[in-house]
Amino acid sequence: MKSQVKAIVTTGYGTNCEREMAHACRVAGADQVDIVHLSDILDGSVRITDYHFLNLPGGFLDGDNLGAAQAGSHRFRYARIAGSGQRLMDQLLEFVEKGGLVLGICNGFQLMVKTGLLPGFDDNYQERLVSLTWNDTGRFVDRWVTCRVPEESRCIFTRGMDSVELPVRHGEGKFVVQDQAILDRIEQENLVALRYVDPDTGEPSAEYPANPNGSVNAIAGICDPTGRLMGLMPHPEAFHHFTNHPRWTRGDCSRNEEGAGLKMFRNAVEYLREHL
Amino acid sequence: MAHRIEVALKPGFLDAHGEKVLKQAREDLHLNNIQAVRTIKVFLVDSDLDDKSLIAMATGPCSDPVIQHYSIDAPMAPQLFDSSAPDWIIEVGYRPGVTDNEGKVAREALELMIGELPSGRGVYTAVQYCIQGPLSREEMEELATGLLCNDLIQRHIVVSFQDLNSLYHQEGSPFYFVPRVTGTTEIVVEQIDLSEMTDQELIELSKNRVLVLNLQEMKILQKHLQDPSVLEERKKMGLGRAYTDLELEALAQTWSEHCKHKIFNAKITYRTPDGEEQIDSLFDTYIRRGTQEIRRKRGEQDWCLSVFKDNAGVISLNEKWNVAFKVETHNSPSALDPYGGALTGIVGVNRDPFGTGLGARLVFNTDVFCFGPPDWDQPLPKGLLHPKRIFEGVREGVEHGGNQSGIPTVNGSILFDERYLGKPLVFCGTGGLMPKKIGDRPSHEKKAQPGDAIVMCGGRIGKDGIHGATFSSEELHEGSPATAVQIGDPITQKKMFDFLLRARDLGLYNSITDNGAGGLSSSVGEMAEESGGFELHLDRAPLKYPGLQPWEILVSEAQERMTLAVPQEKLDQFLALSKKMDVESTVLGTFTDSGKFHCLYNGRTVAYLDLDFVHNGVPQMELTAIWEEPVHPEPDMPEPEDLGRELKKLLSRFNICSKEYVVRQYDHEVQGGSVIKPLTGLMDDGPSDAAVIRPDLERLDGLVVSHGIIPRYSDIDTYHMTMCAVDEAVRNAICVGASLDHMAGLDNFCWCDPVQSEKTPDGHYKLAQLVRANKALYEICTAYGVPCISGKDSMKNDAKIGSVKISIPPTLLFSVIARIRNVEQAVTMDAKEPGHAVYILGITRPEMGASEYFVMNGFIGNTVPMVDIESALARYHALEQAISKGLVASCHDCSDGGMAVALAETAFSGGLGMEIDLDSVLQDQVERLDHLLFSESQSRFIVTVPESDCTAFEDIMADTGIARIGTVTHEPTLRLSSRGAFVVDEAITDLKAAWKQPLDW
C-alpha cells in the first residue's frame, strides 16, 4: 500500500487563502487535507507533527499591522501550546526536523522569513536573515508575472518546472537581505527557487512590472538547504484550473492543461510518497 | 510613564511611503520646494516597562532587524538622512478613542510577552514625516492638513528640526502625548418630558438632540406617553410620563429615514401635465410588486429564497448553494474621513450577507464610487476635501477592508461629476455563499426564540459612530459631529467570521444579525421581532473605554460586532469556542416574548417601550411629486472634421478612461475562483464588462457579477436613466455569458432630498424624479424577468456648506448577480485573432442626450437613450445561446462614448486593429457620423466571431438586429470608413495611450 500523504493548511488571525490551498493539495493527490485553525493547534487538539505537508497560506496575519507577518511570527515565537508549555515555534521546528515539507505562499512566505524558517542556514531555523518589505511602488499590486526556476535549484516543489505564470497579490513582497554575504550564500547554495523574469526575454528582471516589487536579484521564492522548505510571493494555489489564467479566453492556457501552479503541490505529494 | 519606540528603515532601503508622500506633495499640493521625505513609525507604549521588555518590544514585533533600526525615548530623525538633517518634522497620531489597529496589534504582541496590561493602558501609534527642503511652517501646515492628517480623527504637530530636541525632552512634551480617553463621567439617564411641550419646543428638541424627527412624528411620541395603559405599565418599571434619553434615541434611530425608508413608503400624489395619480408606497407598488410578479410567473422555477426581509437578498444558485447579496452606501462618513468611511463601508456591508439567514461565507466584493473631478482646480467651499484626496482615501479604505478580509473585489466603476464634490457616493457590495441547509435547517431562515441569550460578539463599544443612522439622514454642515466617523478593523472582523462560521455549522445559534446603523438598539430590536421582545442589560456590554452613557451604549455604531440569539443549552459551548478562537462574546440579556423593548442598566429599567410602537408607530408620510419635463438647449455644433481626435478625447474622459490604477490595488483573485477578471486581454489591461467567479472550486458553474449606473441621464429623465442603468447591468452580464433566466438585481438609490421644504424648494420635482425611476424599475425588471432581491436608499445626498447647496444628480446603481452554467464558456471583451468578423448587435439611433460626447462639448440636449425592451430581450436570449455554443470570440457592450469607444476598446485590448464599414451599421435616422459613432443607444454589443462560426452565429442572431460591419486586422490600426473614405484612422497604441493616461497616477 502506498503511504498516506497528510497535508495541513493553517488558518486564523487573518489568513485567507486556506481554501484554495487545500483545494490544490487535494487535486494534487494528498490523501488527507485538513484546514486547521491556529487555535486548534494552540489548545493542543491538533498537532502539526501528525502531518507531512505544512501549508502556510496567504492573507494578512493580524492585518499585517506591524509589517507583513510581523505580529504573526511574534505569535509563533511566544504563544504556547496549552498543556505542554511548548511554543508554537517549537512544534514547527519539530515538524521540520522530522522531515516534513513546508510551503509558505505570500503571507506564509513572509511568516517563514520572519520566523527564520528561511533561509535556514546551518540548521538554524530561527534567525531572521532576509525579509520581505514594501514594494518599491509603495502599493499593493495584483497582477500576473512570469517566473523561472533556476536550473540548479535545490527546491523540491519546483522540480521539473521551467517557467511559470502566476499571480502576485501583495504590498510587501520585495525580497531583501541583511547583507551581501547572505545574498551570496543564497545564490551559491542554489537556494533561489523562483525568479521574476521578463516574459519576452525570459531573463531575470529588475524592472516593474516584470519584477513587481523590486526584489533583489529578482528573487520571487527561496528554499532552505534541504529543499523541503519553500516560500514564495506568487500564488501557485491561485492557478489550479485553466480558467484562472488571465488570458485563457485567448487560448494562452489550453483547456486540456491544468493550472500550472498545481505542479508544486504535485511535486510535494510525489516526494512524500517516495520518502514516507 | 510612557515610552516611545521609534522605528525607521536602515540606510540603503527605499522608503516607499516617504517617496509616495513626496510625489503627492509635489503633484497635488504643488509644494515644489520639497526635496525628500522619510518616515518613522512611532509606538507610544503607555505602560511602565523595564528596559528588557522595551528592547524585546522594539526588536520583536515593532521592528524588522533586517531592514529597520530603532530608538527608545530618543528621536531617530537626526539619523535618517545620510549626511544631513531634516528641516521639518510632522508627526501624525490618532485622537483619543479613534480606532488604532496597529496600536491594538502591538498591544496584543506585548501582552504575549509580558502578560495582560492593566485596563486603560495600551500602545498607540503615530507616523513621523521627516522633510527636507526650504519650506515655511505654513507650507508644512498645508502638507499636514492637506495630505497627511485628517483633523477629525487625527492630531498633528509640526516641529522645526532646531526645536526637536528641546521639545522632545521637555516636560509635557507633545511627543509623549498619550491619546487615552480620559475624564470621568457621571452615568446619567435623562428624563425628557414631552407632555407639556409646544410644537415649537418639540421641533427644537428634535433638532438639538439630532433626533431628525419631524413635528408629526414628535407629536406621536408626545401622545404615546399620555395613554393611561402605557403609563400604568411604565409605572411598574419605575418609569413615568417622561421618555428616557435611551427611549428617545432608540425611537429616533428606528424611525430614521435610514432605517424606515419613510420616503419610499410614503403616500405620494404624483402629478404630470397629463393628470394625477395616488401612489401608496413606491417600494410596495414598484419594487416589491415587481419581484412578486416575476416569482409568481416562474412558479416552480422560482429561485428567489429570501427577498427584502433580511440583511441581504438570497437566491438559490444551484442544488448545493444559495447566494446572498447586498450593496450599501457609506456616503456621509466618506465625505468627512474618506479612508475610515470607505473602510467601514466595505467591512460594514460584509456583515450584511454574513448576518443573513444563518450566515454566509463571503465570496466577492463590488465597489462603485462617484467623485468630483480629480483635477478640480476651483476653490472648494470650506469643509469639503479635495476630490482627489477623497478618491485616494476611499480607494485605500476599500483596499484595506477588502484585501485584508480575503474577499476578492471583482467588479466596480468610478464615475465623476462636479455635483459629487459635496457628497461622494461610495457603494460597497458583498456576496456570500451558504449551503442549502445547515444541519436540518434551511440556511436562509432564522428565528430568535424566547429564552435565547442575547450575545454580542466581536469588537467593543465606544463612542464611535454615535448618531450614524440619524446623521446620514441629514445634510452635512460645518458642525457635523466627528463621532460620526469610524475606522473599521478588518482583522477583528475576520477572526469573528472564522469563529461564527464554525459556530454556525455546529448549530450553536438560532439567529444572527449585524450591528450597523443604530447599533444594539437596531440589531436587538430587529431580532426581537422574531421572538417577540427582549431584555437587554447595557451595563454588561464590553466597552473600549469607560464613561459611556447608557444611551450611547445602546446606539453606538462601533464596528465589527454581530448580535446572536444563542439557545441557553448551547451557550457554554458557544462561549468556550469564542474564547478559544480569541473572539470576545458577551451575554447581554435574553430574548423574550413580552412584546417589550426593555433595557436595564445596573438592574434598573432605563427603557421600556412596546416593540410594536417602536417598529410600527411611525406615521406614513404624505408627499407631493410634480413632473415637468425639463427642456435643455439642443447643441448647435458642426460635425467635427477629425473624428479620430474626438474619439481620443472621449477615451481620455474620466468616466471612460482606464481605472487600472485602482483595480490593480484590489485583490481580485483571492479564494482561487477567478474566471473573468476586471482587467483582461493581451496585456491584461482591457476593461471587462462583468466578473465571472467560481465560488465552489469543485464545480463548473459560477457566478456573474455586473452593474449599471448612468446618473447623467437624470438631467433629462430619471425614467430613462433607470431603464438604461438596468439595461447596462443586464447586458454587461450577458456579455460574459450569464443566463438571463437566472439573474437577480439589487437597486441602490442615492438621491438628493426630495421632500419639499424651505431648504429644498424643488422637492416636488425631485420626488417626481424618484417616482419615475421607480416606474421604470418596475417596467424593465418585470419585462426582463430580473427580480430585485434587496436594495437600499440614501435620500439626503446634499451638502450645504455656508450658503452653497450642492445636490448630487439622482443616481441609481443597479447591481446584478447571475448564474453561468459553465464557466468554461465565458467570454471576454478583447478581440482575439486577425480575420475574425466584427458585428454590431442592436440599432443605433440619434440618442445623444446627456451622452458623454454631448457633455464633453458642454451640452445636455434632450434625446436621452431609450430602451426598446422587446427587441433587447430577443437579442439577449439569442446572444446567450450563441455564447453557450462557443461561437463568440469576444463580446463588449456599447455604453459611455457609444460604438466607437466599444470598437476601440475591443481592438486595443486584443492588441489588434479593425477595419469597419460604418455604412453597414444598423441605424435609424442617424444623420451625422459623430452621432453614429458616439450615440449611446442601449442594448448594443460589439461581437467578434471566427469566420468558421459566422453562419451559425448569424442564424442564431437572425432578426434580433445584427450587422456584420468589418474584420479584425493584424495591422494595429482602427479604421472606420464611410462611403469609401476613412473617417477614423488611428493606431491602437495611440487610442490606448489616450485611454490609459488620465488616471495613470
Side-chain angles (χ1 to χ4, degrees):
Chain A
M1 192 184 113
K2 281 204 287 187
S3 314
Q4 294 283 302
V5 173
K6 293 201 224 172
I8 177 174
V9 184
T10 60
T11 187
Y13 294 91
T15 290
N16 61 35
C17 299
E18 69 278 7
R19 297 173 65 90
E20 59 268 38
M21 202 158 179
H23 176 74
C25 288
R26 260 179 236 120
V27 177
D31 303 287
Q32 181 184 333
V33 182
D34 294 333
I35 296 176
V36 176
H37 195 274
L38 284 180
S39 67
D40 292 319
I41 303 171
L42 286 170
D43 81 347
S45 46
V46 178
R47 289 189 58 80
I48 302 172
T49 45
D50 291 338
Y51 295 84
H52 313 113
F53 178 17
L54 171 61
N55 289 265
L56 301 170
F60 288 80
L61 283 171
D62 304 279
D64 282 356
N65 269 320
L66 306 177
Q70 272 283 117
S73 63
H74 182 75
R75 182 179 298 102
F76 270 76
R77 225 173 286 133
Y78 283 90
R80 293 187 184 272
I81 291 161
S84 73
Q86 195 186 30
R87 298 178 312 150
L88 196 50
M89 192 64 198
D90 297 328
Q91 197 173 96
L92 200 57
L93 294 171
E94 197 183 319
F95 175 84
V96 171
E97 201 171 318
K98 279 179 68 182
L101 299 192
V102 185
L103 180 60
I105 298 173
C106 197
N107 202 222
F109 183 26
Q110 291 160 339
L111 182 67
M112 288 178 84
V113 303
K114 297 210 173 176
T115 50
L117 272 182
L118 287 173
F121 290 148
D122 310 316
D123 290 330
N124 183 347
Y125 290 104
Q126 294 193 78
E127 192 184 358
R128 193 186 301 183
L129 300 173
V130 303
S131 196
L132 291 153
T133 185
W134 271 96
N135 299 347
D136 276 352
T137 56
R139 292 179 193 166
F140 181 98
V141 62
D142 180 337
R143 62 160 62 243
W144 280 60
V145 294
T146 306
C147 296
R148 213 178 62 195
V149 177
E151 269 175 43
E152 353 27 78
S153 166
R154 294 189 181 195
C155 182
I156 282 157
F157 296 90
T158 50
R159 281 181 180 173
M161 295 177 75
D162 171 26
S163 161
V164 60
E165 284 180 277
L166 295 172
V168 291
R169 312 191 310 251
H170 60 247
E172 297 175 60
K174 179 182 179 178
F175 185 83
V176 292
V177 293
Q178 188 175 286
D179 53 51
Q180 185 63 35
I182 305 276
L183 183 60
D184 291 344
R185 203 168 157 194
I186 288 172
E187 292 287 356
Q188 279 152 19
E189 297 187 16
N190 297 320
L191 304 188
V192 177
L194 217 54
R195 274 190 231 275
Y196 302 111
V197 297
D198 184 315
D200 297 329
T201 64
E203 291 304 314
S205 173
E207 303 298 320
Y208 186 90
N211 180 337
N213 45 42
S215 285
V216 60
N217 288 11
I219 291 173
I222 60 170
C223 63
D224 79 324
T226 70
R228 292 185 289 113
L229 277 56
M230 179 197 186
L232 73 167
M233 286 315 297
H235 286 269
E237 86 290 6
F239 190 17
H240 53 78
H241 191 262
F242 76 89
T243 58
N244 291 134
H245 192 283
R247 294 175 302 279
W248 70 270
T249 60
R250 303 182 67 79
D252 283 17
C253 179
S254 103
R255 279 159 201 267
N256 310 318
E257 290 172 50
E258 70 173 21
L262 278 179
K263 178 74 176 160
M264 293 188 198
F265 294 87
R266 290 201 186 279
N267 279 337
V269 172
E270 203 171 298
Y271 172 88
L272 286 167
R273 285 228 196 285
E274 284 167 19
H275 290 81
L276 279 181
Chain B
M1 72 163 254
H3 294 282
R4 267 175 82 93
I5 299 173
E6 295 192 7
V7 179
L9 285 166
K10 289 178 181 172
F13 290 101
L14 177 77
D15 185 345
H17 293 288
E19 294 301 314
K20 202 148 94 175
V21 170
L22 180 67
K23 182 167 182 265
Q24 288 175 329
R26 282 178 180 155
E27 288 177 7
D28 300 344
L29 301 180
H30 311 292
L31 293 174
N32 298 322
N33 288 333
I34 191 164
Q35 288 162 352
V37 181
R38 296 278 183 277
T39 57
I40 293 171
K41 184 88 224 167
V42 180
F43 297 89
L44 196 59
V45 184
D46 180 26
S47 178
D48 262 326
L49 293 190
D50 56 28
D51 285 354
K52 199 175 142 233
S53 303
L54 265 177
I55 292 171
M57 185 68 184
T59 53
C62 292
S63 74
D64 181 340
V66 174
I67 54 169
Q68 290 166 323
H69 49 173
Y70 68 91
S71 70
I72 294 171
D73 292 323
M76 290 287 284
Q79 314 165 35
L80 276 200
F81 297 93
D82 294 341
S83 54
S84 55
D87 296 294
W88 290 100
I89 285 134
I90 300 175
E91 185 162 309
V92 179
Y94 291 105
R95 289 187 182 278
V98 175
T99 305
D100 177 356
N101 289 321
E102 276 184 295
K104 185 165 170 253
V105 171
R107 178 200 172 117
E108 289 166 3
L110 179 61
E111 291 182 330
L112 264 180
M113 295 193 292
I114 65 164
E116 214 167 303
L117 290 182
S119 89
R121 298 286 155 177
V123 182
Y124 303 89
T125 63
V127 181
Q128 201 174 86
Y129 301 87
C130 301
I131 293 142
Q132 281 187 326
L135 297 145
S136 66
R137 180 173 288 274
E138 289 68 41
E139 286 173 309
M140 287 299 90
E141 282 292 338
E142 193 192 337
L143 178 62
T145 54
L147 185 65
L148 305 176
C149 175
N150 183 345
D151 285 334
L152 274 181
I153 52 163
Q154 291 164 314
R155 67 209 148 76
H156 70 269
I157 45 176
V158 175
V159 177
S160 73
F161 185 69
Q162 292 85 324
D163 297 338
L164 176 65
N165 263 308
S166 57
L167 214 53
Y168 202 93
H169 297 293
Q170 78 179 27
E171 192 68 28
S173 164
F175 290 101
Y176 280 87
F177 172 74
V178 177
R180 191 196 306 144
V181 178
T182 51
T184 48
T185 320
E186 195 194 340
I187 299 301
V188 188
V189 175
E190 272 187 80
Q191 307 281 329
I192 303 111
D193 190 346
L194 309 188
S195 57
E196 307 291 328
M197 285 191 182
T198 63
D199 288 2
Q200 191 53 38
E201 286 168 333
L202 288 172
I203 290 170
E204 288 291 312
L205 177 73
S206 170
K207 201 172 158 193
N208 294 339
R209 294 196 76 103
V210 206
L211 300 177
V212 200
L213 295 174
N214 64 26
L215 180 62
Q216 190 195 4
E217 291 157 350
M218 290 300 289
K219 288 182 94 150
I220 286 174
L221 292 187
Q222 187 180 43
K223 195 160 157 245
H224 183 66
L225 287 201
Q226 286 163 359
D227 180 336
S229 64
V230 171
L231 287 173
E232 187 60 28
E233 284 192 318
R234 288 175 70 80
K235 209 173 155 191
K236 287 183 204 151
M237 291 293 152
L239 296 177
R241 61 175 199 169
Y243 283 99
T244 65
D245 51 4
L246 291 95
E247 290 173 328
L248 268 192
E249 291 289 343
L251 284 162
Q253 176 280 127
T254 316
W255 289 12
S256 69
E257 177 57 44
H258 186 88
C259 295
K260 273 283 171 240
H261 312 290
K262 290 181 281 197
I263 295 168
F264 260 81
N265 288 310
K267 200 168 271 179
I268 295 174
T269 304
Y270 172 56
R271 281 190 213 120
T272 67
D274 303 330
E276 183 178 302
E277 71 176 297
Q278 298 297 323
I279 299 160
D280 187 1
S281 168
L282 289 170
F283 177 66
D284 286 343
T285 311
Y286 299 113
I287 302 176
R288 191 198 295 275
R289 178 165 64 104
T291 296
Q292 277 168 351
E293 287 177 10
I294 294 166
R295 294 185 67 178
R296 212 173 299 134
K297 214 165 145 191
R298 277 194 207 286
E300 299 265 292
Q301 308 296 315
D302 173 31
W303 33 255
C304 289
L305 292 173
S306 170
V307 294
F308 303 125
K309 61 180 183 194
D310 210 331
N311 292 313
V314 186
I315 63 167
S316 169
L317 177 65
N318 51 41
E319 69 282 4
K320 199 173 161 195
W321 298 107
N322 300 334
V323 193
F325 186 27
K326 176 73 170 194
V327 179
E328 277 275 11
T329 48
H330 221 228
N331 307 334
S332 301
S334 300
L336 293 173
D337 173 24
Y339 175 79
L343 173 55
T344 307
I346 188 70
V347 295
V349 77
N350 288 168
R351 291 193 302 274
D352 279 323
F354 198 91
T356 294
L358 291 170
R361 181 169 56 79
L362 309 178
V363 297
F364 70 85
N365 283 338
T366 68
D367 307 296
V368 174
F369 309 140
C370 303
F371 299 132
D375 59 352
W376 182 256
D377 58 0
Q378 308 293 309
L380 280 168
K382 190 171 180 298
L384 294 187
L385 296 174
H386 190 276
K388 186 170 176 189
R389 191 165 178 205
I390 292 183
F391 183 137
E392 273 298 280
V394 167
R395 182 204 57 67
E396 192 176 17
V398 170
E399 175 199 323
H400 288 176
N403 292 0
Q404 291 184 21
S405 303
I407 304 163
T409 299
V410 300
N411 184 248
S413 275
I414 311 175
L415 287 78
F416 301 91
D417 189 300
E418 286 175 14
R419 287 167 288 178
Y420 296 118
L421 278 174
K423 255 204 195 181
L425 303 184
V426 176
F427 299 90
C428 295
T430 301
L433 214 59
M434 49 222 276
K436 283 251 139 36
K437 284 195 162 181
I438 310 281
D440 52 5
R441 291 195 280 190
S443 62
H444 61 280
E445 290 170 6
K446 61 184 176 191
K447 195 168 194 303
Q449 302 290 339
D452 284 356
I454 301 171
V455 180
M456 188 184 97
C457 187
R460 295 184 150 221
I461 298 179
K463 294 200 186 198
D464 23 8
I466 287 186
H467 277 152
T470 41
F471 167 65
S472 66
S473 306
E474 269 250 293
E475 59 186 39
L476 290 185
H477 55 85
E478 279 164 5
S480 295
T483 50
V485 179
Q486 313 141 62
I487 296 181
D489 173 3
I491 290 309
T492 295
Q493 180 152 303
K494 175 88 171 118
K495 281 160 71 176
M496 172 176 72
F497 285 175
D498 286 351
F499 155 59
L500 287 175
L501 280 177
R502 199 187 275 197
R504 178 195 76 174
D505 293 342
L506 291 167
L508 298 185
Y509 56 80
N510 285 333
S511 185
I512 178 171
T513 202
D514 80 305
N515 283 279
L520 284 173
S521 167
S522 177
S523 69
V524 177
E526 279 170 26
M527 284 166 85
E529 287 195 284
E530 299 163 17
S531 69
F534 71 86
E535 194 180 291
L536 181 70
H537 295 264
L538 292 164
D539 51 293
R540 297 178 189 167
L543 305 180
K544 292 183 180 178
Y545 38 81
L548 268 72
Q549 297 295 350
W551 74 267
E552 292 177 311
I553 298 173
L554 183 63
V555 302
S556 161
E557 298 180 1
Q559 295 290 300
E560 293 81 43
R561 295 180 296 147
M562 303 295 288
T563 299
L564 295 106
V566 181
Q568 295 294 340
E569 70 273 16
K570 293 185 175 159
L571 193 55
D572 288 346
Q573 198 188 345
F574 182 92
L575 295 175
L577 184 63
S578 177
K579 184 157 189 261
K580 166 179 154 164
M581 296 181 76
D582 220 354
V583 175
E584 186 162 13
S585 293
T586 315
V587 179
L588 298 184
T590 321
F591 287 103
T592 65
D593 53 6
S594 65
K596 297 296 179 194
F597 182 109
H598 188 183
C599 299
L600 300 96
Y601 192 87
N602 288 335
R604 191 163 68 91
T605 292
V606 290
Y608 196 72
L609 294 166
D610 287 315
L611 204 54
D612 182 58
F613 179 68
V614 174
H615 287 297
N616 303 316
V618 64
Q620 190 178 24
M621 283 172 100
E622 291 186 22
L623 300 171
T624 304
I626 301 171
W627 173 247
E628 271 174 275
E629 206 172 293
V631 180
H632 303 282
E634 272 303 322
D636 172 24
M637 58 180 209
E639 195 170 331
E641 300 256 317
D642 185 348
L643 288 169
R645 191 166 153 265
E646 296 301 305
L647 173 57
K648 281 187 284 190
K649 269 163 61 187
L650 268 175
L651 288 166
S652 290
R653 298 282 294 171
F654 284 128
N655 283 333
I656 292 176
C657 73
S658 170
K659 311 298 186 295
E660 181 172 356
Y661 165 76
V662 175
V663 175
R664 287 253 174 260
Q665 296 186 70
Y666 293 162
D667 188 331
H668 43 259
E669 302 183 69
V670 62
Q671 301 192 10
S674 163
V675 174
I676 302 293
K677 306 178 204 306
L679 297 168
T680 192
L682 180 70
M683 306 295 286
D684 299 342
D685 58 4
S688 286
D689 291 291
V692 179
I693 60 167
R694 200 157 58 100
D696 181 344
L697 302 178
E698 310 283 342
R699 299 176 61 99
L700 281 178
D701 59 351
L703 261 179
V704 175
V705 184
S706 72
H707 69 273
I709 181 169
I710 182 76
R712 282 198 310 274
Y713 297 172
S714 294
D715 288 340
I716 300 176
D717 190 345
T718 51
Y719 183 89
H720 296 295
M721 177 278 286
T722 301
M723 297 283 274
C724 294
V726 176
D727 188 70
E728 184 186 17
V730 170
R731 71 180 188 258
N732 274 330
I734 294 289
C735 276
V736 297
S739 306
L740 188 52
D741 64 4
H742 204 136
M743 188 181 286
L746 232 65
D747 56 280
N748 281 78
F749 285 85
C750 280
W751 233 250
C752 31
D753 187 1
V755 178
Q756 184 88 9
S757 70
E758 215 169 284
K759 55 184 187 178
T760 310
D762 52 354
H764 289 151
Y765 174 72
K766 286 172 170 169
L767 188 64
Q769 288 184 303
L770 186 67
V771 170
R772 294 182 66 75
N774 274 276
K775 283 175 177 282
L777 191 64
Y778 169 81
E779 169 108 14
I780 191 162
C781 285
T782 49
Y784 282 172
V786 175
C788 292
I789 55 168
S790 182
K792 197 74 195 236
D793 56 279
S794 165
M795 303 303 293
K796 311 266 168 157
N797 291 291
D798 310 87
K800 184 149 193 192
I801 308 290
S803 61
V804 189
K805 177 170 175 174
I806 311 178
S807 297
I808 65 156
T811 305
L812 170 73
L813 170 66
F814 195 77
S815 308
V816 153
I817 46 169
R819 182 167 183 254
I820 175 167
R821 284 184 197 86
N822 181 355
V823 298
E824 297 183 356
Q825 298 297 341
V827 169
T828 52
M829 52 70 65
D830 47 311
K832 300 295 185 300
E833 278 181 44
H836 285 187
V838 181
Y839 292 88
I840 184 164
L841 310 182
I843 296 165
T844 305
R845 301 187 176 86
E847 295 176 311
M848 306 304 294
S851 65
E852 193 67 38
Y853 179 67
F854 266 21
V855 173
M856 176 172 84
N857 287 294
F859 298 101
I860 295 173
N862 301 288
T863 50
V864 68
M866 298 185 189
V867 178
D868 177 352
I869 287 179
E870 209 174 312
S871 81
L873 201 53
R875 188 172 313 125
Y876 294 168
H877 280 301
L879 183 56
E880 181 189 330
Q881 205 192 339
I883 288 174
S884 71
K885 286 185 188 303
L887 303 175
V888 171
S890 79
C891 183
H892 191 27
D893 92 308
C894 301
S895 57
D896 295 10
M899 174 179 74
V901 165
L903 284 167
E905 289 176 344
T906 302
F908 66 60
S909 299
L912 296 164
M914 278 183 185
E915 285 204 14
I916 302 294
D917 172 22
L918 293 175
D919 304 331
S920 314
V921 173
L922 289 176
Q923 54 100 347
D924 182 15
Q925 296 175 36
V926 181
E927 286 163 5
R928 292 166 53 145
L929 277 173
D930 57 344
H931 291 186
L932 185 71
L933 291 182
F934 309 129
S935 158
E936 294 179 6
S937 288
Q938 298 294 296
S939 318
R940 296 177 303 156
F941 303 89
I942 299 296
V943 174
T944 64
V945 177
E947 193 58 56
S948 55
D949 291 325
C950 282
T951 314
F953 179 72
E954 286 174 23
D955 285 349
I956 290 176
M957 299 307 301
D959 305 324
T960 67
I962 168 173
R964 183 169 172 162
I965 55 173
T967 313
V968 178
T969 60
H970 192 269
E971 195 192 331
T973 315
L974 181 68
R975 288 201 166 118
L976 313 182
S977 61
S978 176
R979 292 175 199 157
F982 291 133
V983 296
V984 170
D985 187 356
E986 297 285 340
I988 59 165
T989 48
D990 293 345
L991 295 170
K992 191 169 176 177
W995 178 74
K996 289 193 88 160
Q997 172 270 327
L999 293 179
D1000 185 18
W1001 290 341

